[in-house]
């Protein structure tokens, strides 16, 4: 298949993927009916704000600059975050948040759904708890999160702020038009009714690293004979889906070249499930790396990245974590839109690479069993570009 035909094929399939299926159209009609039912609102003033964000590491991190701005504007207000259990540790060390609550958000938990009623039963049960706590304002921080907006509506939270999207808007009291802009700015737009105008250059992405995690990393590296003066470079090759991942052989070449040119020790990071991937990359390297995949918590991973001269990897939450601890980064993008999800901050310090293939960004992160040869957007990035980007990031 020639390139133009491939682009036409992928555009057509992406358009079909993003089309609203009949069952979702029926759900939308049902949600409009639910939104029209008058429900008792919370009347008592609580001086308490609820932030709803169902996502995983990267998206939750990109919300935190807005949360910091909200805290600065309302130092005496209680701020509660309602997240999935998978993200509670992301926010645990943020002093700007008073309470982190969790629930198994439908569509984001990896458990099977017990039945079609389950999401709505969970909304009703969770709304009862939120009513008992009491909130004045709810912010639906994921733009398309209709379930979170429904939950805030059932809970009777009087002020509900979110984006004007079809499934979300009926449950909101204040709606804002979505813009094609970075996720950090999208979250900031929603807190502006409570903070005033926020300028993008005022929104700083920072993750608080605990001293205990720094000490653990120091001890871990000392066992390898690595002290503070040793240059470190981290490669985080994994991502949530195969379509985002680069070739193992290319990672091996990049890692070996940087190790030799910089006199650096290479660290391969990832979760338990990414250990085999890291081992395959290490097996093709001439220079022995340290494989930390499966050995780190979120906090110790942040502490490792903080020590590195540069962190390279596929578009993923851990790359945003590296940015948040002020490590120079190189992120390789494929189907996701770097305008919305690229590394936040200086373009020199945080390099974002992608190809010019005409179907990118398709915003389809799961192509299922479709043949990977039809989705070369990440794999077409050349080794030389990654090495040059790493040099620029380090020298920044």
């Amino acid at each position: 298949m020639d390139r133009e035909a491939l682009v036409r094929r992928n555009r057509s399939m992406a358009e079909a993927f993003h089309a609203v299926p009949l069952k979702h159209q029926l759900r939308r009609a049902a949600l409009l009916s639910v939104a029209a039912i008058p429900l008792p609102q919370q009347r008592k003033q609580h001086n308490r704000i609820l932030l709803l964000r169902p996502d995983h590491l990267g998206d939750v991190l990109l919300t935190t600059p807005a949360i910091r701005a909200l805290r600065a504007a309302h130092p005496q207000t209680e701020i509660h975050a309602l997240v999935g259990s998978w993200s509670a540790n992301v926010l645990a060390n943020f002093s700007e948040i008073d309470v982190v609550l969790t629930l198994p958000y439908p569509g984001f938990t990896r458990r099977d759904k017990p039945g079609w009623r389950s999401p709505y039963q969970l909304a009703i049960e969770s709304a009862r708890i939120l009513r008992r706590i009491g909130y004045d304002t709810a912010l639906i921080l994921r733009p398309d999160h209709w379930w979170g907006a429904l939950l805030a509506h059932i809970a009777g939270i009087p002020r509900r702020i979110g984006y004007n999207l079809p499934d979300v808007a009926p449950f909101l009291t204040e709606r804002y038009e979505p813009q094609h802009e970075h996720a950090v700015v999208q979250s900031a737009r929603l807190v502006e009714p409570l903070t005033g105008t926020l300028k993008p250059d005022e929104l700083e992405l920072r993750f608080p690293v605990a001293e205990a995690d720094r000490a653990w990393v120091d001890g871990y590296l000392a066992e390898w004979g690595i002290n503070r003066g040793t240059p470190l470079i981290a490669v985080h090759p994994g991502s949530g889906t195969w379509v985002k991942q680069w070739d193992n052989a290319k990672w091996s070449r990049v890692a070996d070249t940087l190790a030799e040119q910089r006199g650096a020790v290479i660290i391969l990071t990832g979760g338990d499930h990414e250990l085999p991937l890291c081992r395959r990359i290490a097996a093709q390297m001439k220079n022995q790396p340290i494989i930390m995949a499966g050995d780190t918590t979120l906090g110790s991973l942040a502490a490792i990245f903080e020590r590195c001269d540069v962190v390279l990897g596929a578009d993923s939450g851990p790359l945003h974590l590296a940015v948040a601890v002020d490590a120079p980064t190189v992120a390789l993008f494929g189907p996701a839109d770097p305008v919305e999800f690229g590394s936040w901050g200086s373009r020199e310090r945080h390099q974002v690479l992608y190809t010019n293939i005409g179907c990118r960004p398709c915003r389809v992160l799961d192509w299922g069993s479709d043949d990977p040869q039809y989705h070369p957007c990440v794999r077409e990035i050349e080794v030389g570009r990654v090495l040059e980007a790493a040099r620029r990031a380090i020298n920044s």
Side-chain angles (χ1 to χ4, degrees), residues 53-61 64 67 81-95 97 99-103 110 206-210 213 271 296-302 317-318 321 324-325:
R53 188 83 211 201
D55 305 272
H56 295 261
L57 171 60
D59 293 302
V60 173
L61 273 177
T64 57
I67 296 174
L82 183 59
V83 298
S85 59
W86 44 86
S87 295
N89 59 345
V90 180
L91 299 179
N93 291 342
F94 281 85
S95 60
I97 300 172
V99 177
V100 177
L101 304 169
T102 65
L103 61 75
R110 292 184 168 90
R206 287 290 177 264
F207 181 83
V209 182
D213 289 317
T296 55
T297 62
L298 179 68
S300 58
L301 183 63
L321 180 65
V325 297

Side-chain angles (χ1 to χ4, degrees), residues 4 13 153 183 196 200 209 213 219 230-231 237 245 255 260 279-280 283 306-307 313 318 323 340 354 371 373:
E4 290 186 6
M13 292 179 65
H153 170 69
V209 182
D213 289 317
T230 303
Q245 292 181 2
E260 293 163 5
R279 285 175 172 166
R280 288 194 293 271
E306 188 182 46
R307 289 273 299 270
V323 174
E340 295 181 82
Y354 47 87
D371 194 323
Q373 70 172 324

Side-chain angles (χ1 to χ4, degrees), residues 293-343:
D295 285 350
T296 55
T297 62
L298 179 68
S300 58
L301 183 63
I304 280 286
F305 288 161
E306 188 182 46
R307 289 273 299 270
C308 290
D309 292 1
V310 66
V311 179
L312 306 96
D315 161 32
S316 66
L319 263 291
H320 293 298
L321 180 65
V323 174
V325 297
D326 201 31
T329 62
V330 178
L332 280 59
F333 268 72
D337 188 351
V339 172
E340 295 181 82
F341 300 108
S343 303

Side-chain angles (χ1 to χ4, degrees), residues 105-355:
Y105 278 103
F108 294 85
T109 177
R110 292 184 168 90
R111 299 174 184 172
D112 293 333
K113 290 189 293 185
W116 71 269
R117 291 187 183 87
S118 180
Y120 307 100
Q121 288 175 337
L122 179 62
I124 293 169
E125 293 163 2
S126 301
R128 293 194 188 105
I129 297 171
L130 297 182
R131 277 185 180 272
R132 287 200 294 270
I133 299 172
Y135 296 96
D136 304 309
T137 303
L139 291 160
I140 315 303
L141 291 169
R142 180 181 172 93
D144 62 354
H145 195 221
W146 64 268
W147 191 90
L150 169 67
L151 173 62
H153 170 69
I154 298 174
I157 301 174
R159 190 178 188 188
R160 304 181 296 278
I161 301 172
Y163 276 108
N164 188 23
L165 293 171
D167 292 340
V168 180
F171 301 110
L172 303 176
T173 60
E174 297 175 39
R175 306 165 184 85
Y176 295 86
E177 293 301 321
Q179 307 291 328
H180 186 216
E181 55 193 356
H182 198 278
V184 166
V185 180
Q186 290 175 3
S187 294
R189 293 278 178 261
L190 293 186
V191 303
E192 283 185 336
L194 304 170
T195 65
T197 301
L198 298 172
K199 297 179 181 178
D201 58 7
E202 298 172 339
L203 300 169
E204 190 176 27
L205 180 62
R206 287 290 177 264
F207 181 83
V209 182
E211 287 302 324
D213 289 317
R214 291 191 176 110
W216 184 90
V217 166
D218 287 344
Y220 188 102
L221 294 177
E223 293 181 2
W224 286 81
I226 296 171
N227 57 38
R228 278 278 174 181
T230 303
L232 300 176
I233 292 175
V235 175
H236 191 97
S239 190
T241 171
W242 60 260
V243 76
K244 288 185 176 186
Q245 292 181 2
W246 207 34
D247 290 336
N248 294 348
K250 289 182 177 180
W251 277 129
S252 301
R253 289 168 59 194
V254 164
D256 273 332
T257 303
L258 290 175
E260 293 163 5
Q261 290 181 349
R262 310 288 305 186
V265 173
I266 303 298
I267 299 175
L268 302 179
T269 61
D272 291 339
H273 62 291
E274 290 162 333
L275 179 57
L277 170 64
C278 291
R279 285 175 172 166
R280 288 194 293 271
I281 292 170
Q284 299 180 63
M285 291 177 60
K286 294 180 292 183
N287 298 276
Q288 182 187 15
I290 297 175
I291 300 178
M292 293 189 72
D295 285 350
T296 55
T297 62
L298 179 68
S300 58
L301 183 63
I304 280 286
F305 288 161
E306 188 182 46
R307 289 273 299 270
C308 290
D309 292 1
V310 66
V311 179
L312 306 96
D315 161 32
S316 66
L319 263 291
H320 293 298
L321 180 65
V323 174
V325 297
D326 201 31
T329 62
V330 178
L332 280 59
F333 268 72
D337 188 351
V339 172
E340 295 181 82
F341 300 108
S343 303
W344 182 251
S346 162
R347 288 275 68 84
E348 281 296 304
R349 190 167 180 80
H350 304 296
Q351 299 278 317
V352 175
L353 302 181
Y354 47 87
T355 59

